[in-house]
Amino acid sequence: MLRHHGDVDARPGMLDFAVNVRGTAPPRWLRDRLAARLDDLGRYPSAEDEAAARTAVAARHGRRPDEVLLLAGAAEGFAMLPRLAPRLAAVIHPSFTEPELALREAGVPVTRVILEPPYTLDPALVPEEADLVVLGNPTNPTSVLHPAAVIEALRRPGRLVVVDEAFADAVAESAAGGAAVDGGSGDNVPGAARNVASGAAMRGAAAGPGGARPALSSVGRTLSSTPSAPDASSIRTAPAVDVVPGAPVRSTSCPGSGSATSHTVGEPESLAGLSAPDVLVLRSLTKTWALAGLRCGYVLGAPEVLARLTQGRPHWPLGTLQLEAISATAEPAAVAASRRHADEIAAERAAMIDRLADLGVEVHTPAAGPFLLLRVPDGELLRKRLADRGIAVRRADTFPGLGPDHLRVAVRGAAEVDRLIEGLRAALW
């Protein structure tokens, strides 16, 4: 079950809420960049292209080029983790399952640290003897954004902390105040991670036809720390992020600052700009740029740690088109476009939460990612009924710590959400 992914839940032709990729193809400008390199495919990928891509990523995060390792998708980075030869790996769950799978298949001892709702990270839960700790931020599938300070509190002498930031570029700046703390109170320091259910107002289920309510054990949603968003009328309907010529470019790196979060302006709680010997950050281009079929990503970390990851790696690990995509999406105009897109996701997410909660569906909030975690009655049956109506949602019982009544849904626009709500209403009543 650790290898189950959302693409299995979405058959061709279905309305896809199961996969977290935005759009069905890259934006036109990026396709044009890739198409312009087709004539180069008769040659091996060049060292110059590889260096250019690393330099672009380094500039984007305020790092040095030797702190960047380019990947054929973030999943390749997880497959490399066993090369670090940890004595004991701790994986924070619920979260993306590929890291645990890669470690277990290599014979690395793994302990699971299961977070209970509201999935607040507490460094004290991680065994002291763990010399490798893996977590996501924002976390898939809970959409929880952990405070950077709490993640940094996981650091110990002799321990390496690996942060999966595959969705960090989809987090709006407005999410910073709601990063898994009690009502944004600021108690996000080591040892202060705590259950915040008392600070999360739960709204009751909306009555169905005839006054009936779905048989949920706990219905509604939390109302605190939901990111604010621009007016819905500003939402574009382009298939993926578009770079607008002449649009203002927002700086995203502040080299030299001692604060981890200040290095990645506009990406709350990211550690991508933290240059430290004991922190690895993995990033993916798949989701925001609709590049799932091209496999592009990178890992940021100390050069000596990256060198251990690459032991035994084949020559030319990335192709010319992958290198071009990485370079293109790290450019300032592309980064600025991704920040605008993150604001659009926040608006769509807020509207989607309201509509689901009005229907009586329990939605986990605060949510910061481009997806939502739901809890419904008879989740397996509900998935089947939605599939019968041509709607795919992601089963979440394959994530350790969650059960069959948990589902994950990607954040989508109003028209798609209309169909989802219609399908849920028909299935629940």
Side-chain angles (χ1 to χ4, degrees):
M1 297 297 282
L2 292 177
R3 182 141 276 170
H4 182 91
H5 297 296
D7 59 317
V8 177
D9 295 313
R11 299 189 302 273
M14 298 183 76
L15 178 59
D16 185 6
F17 281 87
V19 178
N20 289 320
V21 175
R22 298 285 293 185
T24 58
R28 172 58 59 187
W29 71 267
L30 183 52
R31 278 181 278 178
D32 290 344
R33 285 280 295 264
L34 297 175
R37 298 302 306 271
L38 292 178
D39 288 343
D40 297 329
L41 296 186
R43 297 188 294 273
Y44 287 99
S46 71
E48 291 77 15
D49 281 345
E50 192 268 346
R54 284 195 297 111
T55 299
V57 170
R60 185 237 194 279
H61 294 292
R63 306 287 291 258
R64 302 190 313 271
D66 64 352
E67 295 179 298
V68 178
L69 175 63
L70 306 178
L71 301 172
E76 186 193 14
F78 299 131
M80 292 176 170
L81 292 180
R83 297 173 185 172
L84 300 174
R87 295 183 301 274
L88 176 65
V91 181
I92 311 295
H93 283 298
S95 68
F96 189 54
T97 54
E98 281 294 326
E100 177 176 334
L101 180 65
L103 291 163
R104 288 191 182 278
E105 288 186 339
V108 175
V110 175
T111 184
R112 290 178 175 175
V113 179
I114 306 291
L115 303 181
E116 299 295 332
Y119 312 112
T120 304
L121 178 62
D122 184 352
L125 298 175
V126 177
E128 286 294 323
E129 59 270 25
D131 56 346
L132 181 72
V133 179
V134 185
L135 74 159
N137 203 41
T139 299
N140 175 16
T142 63
S143 211
V144 167
L145 184 65
H146 300 301
V150 178
I151 297 175
E152 289 199 71
L154 291 167
R155 299 168 66 185
R156 301 283 190 279
R159 172 186 287 177
L160 191 66
V161 177
V162 179
V163 188
D164 173 11
E165 291 193 1
F167 297 97
D169 62 349
V171 177
E173 290 184 68
S174 55
V181 294
D182 189 1
S185 63
D187 295 332
N188 56 347
V189 294
R194 52 198 170 90
N195 189 305
V196 300
S198 60
M202 301 295 292
R203 193 169 87 187
R213 298 174 185 267
L216 296 176
S217 58
S218 178
V219 184
R221 65 178 175 94
T222 59
L223 301 177
S224 62
S225 303
T226 301
S228 60
D231 184 87
S233 63
S234 68
I235 297 175
R236 297 193 305 272
T237 57
V241 174
D242 192 17
V243 175
V244 180
V249 175
R250 180 182 305 165
S251 173
T252 59
S253 61
C254 307
S257 169
S259 167
T261 53
S262 68
H263 282 289
T264 314
V265 176
E267 294 181 353
E269 313 305 337
S270 171
L271 293 184
L274 176 64
S275 182
D278 57 343
V279 176
L280 289 176
V281 175
L282 286 94
R283 301 294 288 255
S284 170
L285 306 184
T286 293
K287 284 74 180 177
T288 294
W289 300 103
L291 288 170
L294 195 55
R295 312 308 305 137
C296 302
Y298 51 88
V299 58
L300 304 163
E304 56 272 20
V305 178
L306 300 184
R308 292 165 63 192
L309 291 177
T310 60
Q311 290 177 359
R313 199 182 192 197
H315 204 37
W316 307 296
L318 274 74
T320 298
L321 297 186
Q322 292 166 298
L323 296 173
E324 183 68 21
I326 293 171
S327 292
T329 55
E331 292 175 356
V335 174
S338 74
R339 302 317 309 146
R340 293 191 296 272
H341 198 55
D343 289 337
E344 294 169 6
I345 292 172
E348 292 176 346
R349 183 176 59 240
M352 192 170 171
I353 290 171
D354 284 338
R355 297 197 64 189
L356 289 166
D358 288 344
L359 190 63
V361 175
E362 182 180 350
V363 186
H364 181 76
T365 59
F371 47 85
L372 296 168
L373 179 65
L374 313 182
R375 191 167 66 178
V376 297
D378 301 318
E380 187 173 353
L381 178 60
L382 179 59
R383 279 195 301 112
K384 182 180 184 304
R385 288 177 175 173
L386 289 173
D388 289 343
R389 299 176 68 89
I391 301 171
V393 297
R394 209 299 194 177
R395 62 184 294 183
D397 60 334
T398 61
F399 295 99
L402 301 181
D405 291 342
H406 287 100
L407 303 174
R408 190 196 70 195
V409 292
V411 172
R412 298 285 188 245
E416 293 95 333
V417 174
D418 284 344
R419 285 188 57 189
L420 176 63
I421 295 297
E422 178 184 351
L424 287 169
R425 183 177 289 113
L428 286 171
W429 285 282

